[in-house]
């Protein structure tokens, strides 16, 4: 994903500059009466309208990507909080839950390992605990507990509720990770519009170093916005990925509680 964002950044930067080159080349070949004041005024209006549409589109994409990123991060924090509470309830139940708590540590480590594969979150447990039914296995062990008091019965009921919430949150995160907007067609339209807009700019004045330096700045702005959208739409990859510090802290707390 990092390579993809860098490629789109480069394209977003090159397309406006290509537009400037095309506009400058067309300017040299157009008859003088095609570049009169009235024509230039109409071109400015058309380019201003197109630039507004591109700016609004990029703004909406950044806002949507930021909301997506913040939502995934918030749900992961909920997952971590639920894991802590579940372990505390199991510990309060009694020593009978030691095996379930160990299973919970392994499930948490595997879940975090799936999101940050290059990092170590502690023992992952046997391969049998890494299947799609890892949450069901833990819930089955919870149901099989035999409470001997009202307190144990309450802690088991709360643990079961938290286990259901954890399973739902996990699948919600997975579904939202895959539910991303079709960015490539949108960016193709933006890049084509950028070529047209900067091509219009190239018609206004003969090419020179000052004109090129001034037009590079908005080209960099478009490229930076494109890069930001791609990075924010990839919460667990790239430069703006969600930090794994909370997951490491959680695993340390679980290890110390034994």
């Amino acid at each position: 994903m990092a390579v993809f964002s860098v490629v789109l950044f480069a394209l977003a930067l090159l397309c406006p500059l290509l537009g400037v080159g095309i506009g400058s080349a067309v300017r040299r070949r157009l008859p003088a009466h095609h570049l009169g004041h009235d024509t230039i005024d109409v071109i400015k209006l058309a380019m201003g309208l197109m630039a507004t549409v591109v700016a609004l589109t990029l703004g909406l994409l950044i806002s949507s990507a930021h909301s997506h990123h913040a939502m995934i991060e918030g749900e992961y924090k909920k997952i971590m909080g639920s894991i802590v509470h579940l372990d505390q309830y199991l510990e309060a139940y009694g020593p009978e839950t030691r095996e379930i708590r160990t299973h919970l540590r392994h499930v948490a480590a595997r879940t975090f390992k799936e999101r940050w594969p290059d990092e170590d979150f502690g023992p992952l447990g046997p391969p049998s605990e890494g299947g799609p039914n890892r949450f069901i296995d833990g819930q089955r062990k919870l149901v099989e507990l035999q409470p001997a008091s009202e307190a144990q019965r309450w802690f088991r009921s709360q643990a079961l509720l938290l286990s259901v919430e954890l399973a739902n949150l996990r699948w919600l995160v997975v579904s939202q990770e895959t539910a991303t907007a079709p960015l490539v067609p949108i960016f193709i339209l933006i890049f084509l519009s950028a070529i047209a807009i900067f091509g219009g700019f190239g018609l206004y004045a003969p090419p020179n170093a000052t004109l090129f330096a001034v037009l590079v700045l908005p080209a960099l702005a478009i490229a930076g916005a494109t890069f930001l959208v791609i990075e924010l739409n990839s919460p667990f990859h790239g430069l703006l990925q969600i930090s794994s510090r909370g997951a490491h802290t959680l695993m340390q707390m679980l290890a110390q509680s034994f």
Side-chain angles (χ1 to χ4, degrees), residues 141-173:
K141 294 177 181 179
L142 281 172
V143 172
E144 292 173 353
L145 289 174
Q146 299 296 326
S149 64
E150 287 297 324
Q152 285 188 335
R153 188 174 292 107
W154 187 86
F155 283 123
R156 189 187 72 161
S157 65
Q158 295 303 307
L160 283 170
L161 290 175
L162 279 174
S163 68
V164 173
E165 181 181 347
L166 271 172
N168 291 336
L169 280 173
R170 177 177 178 270
W171 287 114
L172 183 61
V173 170

Side-chain angles (χ1 to χ4, degrees), residues 130 137 165 206 212 226:
D137 293 339
E165 181 181 347
F212 180 79
T226 302

Side-chain angles (χ1 to χ4, degrees), residues 21-242:
I22 293 174
S24 299
V26 171
R27 175 186 172 85
R28 289 194 295 267
R29 289 169 173 77
L30 283 177
H33 66 276
H34 282 200
L35 295 175
H37 292 295
D38 294 338
T39 303
I40 291 295
D41 288 342
V42 172
I43 293 175
K44 287 181 178 179
L45 289 173
M47 295 304 101
L49 175 61
M50 192 176 299
T52 301
V53 172
V54 170
L56 287 173
T57 303
L58 283 172
L60 289 173
L61 285 175
I62 292 174
S63 176
S64 176
H66 179 267
S67 298
H68 173 74
H69 190 279
M71 186 178 298
I72 296 293
E73 185 175 12
E75 286 166 357
Y76 243 83
K77 289 180 179 179
K78 289 181 182 179
I79 288 176
M80 294 177 191
S82 297
I83 291 174
V84 171
H85 289 146
L86 178 55
D87 182 70
Q88 290 174 344
Y89 286 147
L90 292 174
E91 183 180 15
Y93 183 95
E96 302 93 330
T97 60
R98 187 173 184 84
E99 181 183 351
I100 303 176
R101 294 176 65 201
T102 301
H103 175 77
L104 176 63
R105 287 179 59 194
H106 294 164
V107 170
R110 285 184 179 274
T111 301
F112 296 145
K113 188 72 173 178
E114 290 172 356
R115 296 295 171 259
W116 297 281
D118 298 329
E119 301 183 31
D120 181 23
F121 295 95
L124 303 178
S128 59
E129 292 186 349
N133 296 325
R134 66 185 76 169
F135 289 97
I136 298 297
D137 293 339
Q139 289 172 329
R140 182 180 294 110
K141 294 177 181 179
L142 281 172
V143 172
E144 292 173 353
L145 289 174
Q146 299 296 326
S149 64
E150 287 297 324
Q152 285 188 335
R153 188 174 292 107
W154 187 86
F155 283 123
R156 189 187 72 161
S157 65
Q158 295 303 307
L160 283 170
L161 290 175
L162 279 174
S163 68
V164 173
E165 181 181 347
L166 271 172
N168 291 336
L169 280 173
R170 177 177 178 270
W171 287 114
L172 183 61
V173 170
V174 171
S175 65
Q176 288 180 348
E177 283 182 50
T178 56
T180 56
L183 296 178
V184 173
I186 296 175
F187 281 132
I188 289 175
L189 292 176
I190 291 176
F191 294 164
L192 292 176
S193 299
I195 292 175
I197 293 169
F198 281 76
F201 293 160
L203 293 173
Y204 297 162
N208 55 65
T210 302
L211 178 66
F212 180 79
V214 169
L215 292 180
V216 164
L217 296 178
L220 283 172
I222 294 176
T226 302
F227 182 82
L228 190 61
V229 170
I230 296 299
E231 288 292 309
L232 287 175
N233 268 292
S234 307
F236 297 103
H237 305 280
L239 298 177
L240 300 180
Q241 65 175 308
I242 296 173

